[in-house]
Amino acid sequence: MANKHISIWIIDDSLPYQRFLNEIDDTLPISASQIGNIINSGDGWPDEEQPLKDLTNLILQSQYFINGFIDLKWILYPNFGINALKNESEIYSPDLVIYDWEYKNYPGIAPEATTDENEKFIMPSSGKSLLMLLNQLQESFFFIYSNRAATIPIELFKDKLDDYAKQFQVLPKGDNRLYLSAEEMIYNYILLRINNQEKINIGGKEVVFDNSGMLRDYTDILYLENILGKEYLKKKLGEVADPFTDAVVSEILKEFSFQLYLSADKKILISEKDPFVEKKYGPLITLSYKEAFNKYGLQIINEALNNTIIKIH
Amino acid sequence: MVNEKAYGSLIKPFGQYTEPLPPSKVLKEWHSIRDNFINEIHNGKNDGAPKYPEILQLIPDELVSELEESGRIISIGERKKQYCYLWVINKDDIIEILWENTQNEMHIPDKLVKHSNITAADLAYNGGEMYFASNNRLFINNASDRYGLRRNFWNGAFEVIKKIYSKYKVIDIQKWE
């Protein structure tokens, strides 16, 4: 499969570019070579921004970047991004925006809050800019990537943000609550945009995704984690040999003790049986997780666990 | 039991289960956050229909027979969230309601809200789903694996909802056997 090109914007004010002030117009998108120079200068990044520095480095050192499949730009403040989109001499159209939530000083906009024209809601400046960018870049995907993701005041503008729900995902910087770190998710997203059939490295384990199989992309790892639990998945990943594939997932699920149920007509998948369900859809056919995985895949199992009873096609 | 009322006993999410639960039912941090939904969670007292979303989502008439027959909607898959409201009787005896289609930006990759997003994963008496329909009909079930599915408290919970939503024709669709 031919590789596809991806254009990425990182919008974040933590780039330590001060030493390069004479060479860089900090109101414009900063090029990848300039980003590389800044990283290589060894100038300090705040501790909490280390995950972003590592992610940027990972992108710049990847074969895909070296071979021209990734175009990376850094923008220091969201309003500079909005201005760049108005630029008539250069057309920008990022496929992915890695959007920081917190800004220490926000040029041209009050630092803490701004009120919309109807005074219906108040939101941080970055929230208002985010909505403008989401609206202008409707073909782009956004990772809202923040040190304080759990406290982003989403409730302040939720009704507006929900219009773009399919266009973004909130990720805490350096987050390790899930088996995949936030940075691994972003990097995997980039690789999968370039080439759907991809090997990636998750927690030191080589994982092989196959678009025609049941382990299709990194979200399947997240479904698997939800099904098995982080600790069980971690333990099992430590036990199996490289690479981690469909067949290995099938083997892991073979040992999993819980069960699912299939209706007599095999059109309904059930995660919990009760007398009504047995009477209405039975006699139920007991299904191991391995069998369910091989037939329907991880997303369907996850959906059955979330909804108790689902229709399958 | 302490704190037992006709409409429930105070339990933590999944507290009604005695057997080992699958890992998918371990309470997740992103299902314990209430703060992100403060403006969307509705206090059900005084006969009020939820205010979020702004237009009350009525279940189409063609799906009503499925609700009456099965107590839930499965024929349209995940799209049923469009019409489903989650209800909880919280530890302060207040019914709180959250539209199931509310986006949970913190949940990767599903973006689901759960009954525990209403309670911040605190204790609650009971929970389930509600579906508003035309002609002021309100269908209620006990489908909450965090707080509901307790037959001995169902009649009490149903009576509470019927009393609060006195302007509606409240219809019990919970199926036990």
Side-chain angles (χ1 to χ4, degrees):
Chain A
M1 186 185 289
N3 290 331
K4 293 176 190 159
H5 179 268
I6 184 169
S7 167
I8 305 167
W9 277 9
I10 298 175
I11 304 183
D12 194 301
D13 63 347
S14 61
L15 189 71
Y17 67 100
Q18 288 71 15
R19 196 209 288 215
F20 296 86
L21 266 174
N22 292 336
E23 303 163 30
I24 289 174
D25 181 344
D26 59 5
T27 65
L28 297 176
I30 297 170
S31 70
S33 62
Q34 288 168 325
I35 299 167
N37 290 340
I38 292 166
I39 289 178
N40 293 334
S41 74
D43 285 353
W45 292 56
D47 286 348
E48 68 271 19
E49 302 299 344
Q50 201 61 40
L52 177 58
K53 179 186 176 187
D54 293 344
L55 172 65
T56 311
N57 239 340
L58 196 60
I59 295 169
L60 291 176
Q61 287 173 11
S62 74
Q63 282 305 310
Y64 290 113
F65 176 78
I66 292 164
N67 293 326
F69 290 106
I70 300 175
D71 173 47
L72 180 67
K73 296 265 188 300
W74 194 298
I75 291 167
L76 289 164
Y77 295 95
N79 53 330
F80 295 166
I82 293 165
N83 291 342
L85 293 175
K86 293 175 192 161
N87 190 332
E88 288 175 1
S89 59
E90 186 162 4
I91 309 246
Y92 294 102
S93 180
D95 302 297
L96 173 66
V97 178
I98 302 168
Y99 188 93
D100 186 31
W101 182 256
E102 297 94 14
Y103 296 88
K104 291 182 182 73
N105 301 295
Y106 201 124
I109 300 181
E112 293 303 326
T114 185
T115 307
D116 84 345
E117 64 278 9
N118 299 318
E119 296 189 345
K120 280 184 181 166
F121 69 103
I122 297 172
M123 67 172 75
S125 309
S126 62
K128 194 163 187 175
S129 300
L130 172 64
L131 287 177
M132 290 171 75
L133 285 166
L134 282 165
N135 186 45
Q136 287 184 47
L137 296 169
Q138 294 195 10
E139 300 299 314
S140 311
F141 189 80
F142 286 60
F143 283 109
I144 303 173
Y145 181 61
S146 162
N147 283 318
R148 301 184 191 87
T151 57
I152 286 178
I154 286 166
E155 75 274 16
L156 293 177
F157 60 110
K158 191 162 183 44
D159 54 340
K160 295 186 188 301
L161 200 57
D162 278 357
D163 292 341
Y164 305 98
K166 288 188 168 51
Q167 219 184 314
F168 73 90
Q169 174 66 58
V170 177
L171 286 178
K173 279 182 187 171
D175 187 29
N176 284 307
R177 287 171 302 173
L178 290 165
Y179 188 76
L180 278 164
S181 71
E183 291 70 33
E184 282 173 323
M185 276 185 236
I186 295 173
Y187 188 60
N188 293 343
Y189 176 91
I190 294 167
L191 295 190
L192 288 161
R193 282 290 297 254
I194 297 171
N195 182 346
N196 272 332
Q197 287 183 302
E198 190 51 70
K199 288 179 185 176
I200 59 165
N201 200 293
I202 300 173
K205 178 71 60 183
E206 184 178 84
V207 180
V208 180
F209 294 118
D210 178 354
N211 202 30
S212 61
M214 292 299 186
L215 200 59
R216 296 190 180 101
D217 64 39
Y218 73 98
T219 54
D220 279 325
I221 298 291
L222 300 171
Y223 291 132
L224 187 61
E225 178 178 341
N226 191 46
I227 293 163
L228 298 174
K230 183 178 177 178
E231 290 312 311
Y232 190 85
L233 176 60
K234 203 170 168 182
K235 180 172 168 282
K236 288 292 170 187
L237 278 169
E239 290 170 3
V240 297
D242 271 351
F244 190 65
T245 59
D246 268 12
V248 174
V249 175
S250 190
E251 277 307 296
I252 289 176
L253 289 170
K254 189 175 152 188
E255 295 169 24
F256 196 58
S257 59
F258 295 93
Q259 288 170 328
L260 299 164
Y261 308 94
L262 203 55
S263 61
D265 64 2
K266 300 185 179 177
K267 289 181 177 171
I268 307 283
L269 186 63
I270 299 154
S271 61
E272 271 178 75
K273 59 178 177 178
D274 61 42
F276 175 76
V277 165
E278 287 197 273
K279 195 172 159 187
K280 183 164 175 60
Y281 301 111
L284 299 178
I285 304 159
T286 301
L287 206 62
S288 71
Y289 275 69
K290 178 189 170 179
E291 289 168 318
F293 170 69
N294 291 334
K295 276 186 178 176
Y296 310 117
L298 293 165
Q299 188 173 355
I300 294 290
I301 298 177
N302 193 65
E303 197 183 319
L305 292 167
N306 279 332
N307 296 299
T308 310
I309 302 176
I310 62 164
K311 192 176 169 185
I312 42 180
H313 304 286
Chain B
M1 187 187 282
V2 181
N3 288 321
E4 182 171 311
K5 299 183 179 174
Y7 46 83
S9 59
L10 282 177
I11 56 169
K12 282 278 195 183
F14 306 111
Q16 74 272 46
Y17 292 97
T18 50
E19 72 276 25
L21 291 173
S24 60
K25 290 200 174 175
V26 171
L27 188 68
K28 311 290 194 309
E29 187 182 338
W30 37 91
H31 290 151
S32 309
I33 296 170
R34 175 184 161 93
D35 288 352
N36 286 352
F37 311 103
I38 289 292
N39 292 344
E40 286 74 30
I41 293 171
H42 176 71
N43 183 328
K45 69 180 178 186
N46 301 331
D47 234 5
K51 306 290 185 294
Y52 180 83
E54 278 181 32
I55 299 169
L56 186 66
Q57 301 297 297
L58 299 181
I59 188 152
D61 283 342
E62 62 266 27
L63 292 174
V64 165
S65 57
E66 185 183 351
L67 256 191
E68 289 175 320
E69 192 191 331
S70 304
R72 58 174 76 229
I73 295 291
I74 57 172
S75 62
I76 56 171
E78 294 279 281
R79 283 183 291 129
K80 74 103 177 174
K81 293 193 293 180
Q82 180 74 28
Y83 310 112
C84 179
Y85 293 83
L86 308 176
W87 63 266
V88 161
I89 304 178
N90 71 17
K91 65 178 181 181
D92 299 318
D93 306 274
I94 292 167
I95 290 191
E96 290 192 308
I97 296 159
L98 179 62
W99 186 40
E100 198 186 18
N101 206 33
T102 304
Q103 299 293 303
N104 185 354
E105 286 82 1
M106 301 307 297
H107 186 195
I108 310 160
D110 289 332
K111 295 196 176 177
L112 302 173
V113 289
K114 299 286 189 181
H115 288 87
S116 46
N117 287 115
I118 303 176
T119 60
D122 202 350
L123 297 162
Y125 283 103
N126 217 325
E129 298 173 340
M130 54 173 53
Y131 297 85
F132 292 86
S134 58
N135 299 324
N136 264 12
R137 290 172 296 168
L138 175 55
F139 296 93
I140 305 285
N141 70 23
N142 202 197
S144 165
D145 56 6
R146 284 157 174 78
Y147 297 111
L149 299 172
R150 289 180 294 161
R151 190 170 188 171
N152 49 331
F153 297 117
W154 175 237
N155 288 343
F158 181 70
E159 287 306 316
V160 167
I161 294 169
K162 223 163 80 171
K163 196 172 169 186
I164 290 176
Y165 282 89
S166 58
K167 289 178 191 161
Y168 288 81
K169 185 185 177 193
V170 184
I171 301 158
D172 176 0
I173 51 167
Q174 178 58 38
K175 310 295 179 194
W176 297 106
E177 59 186 46

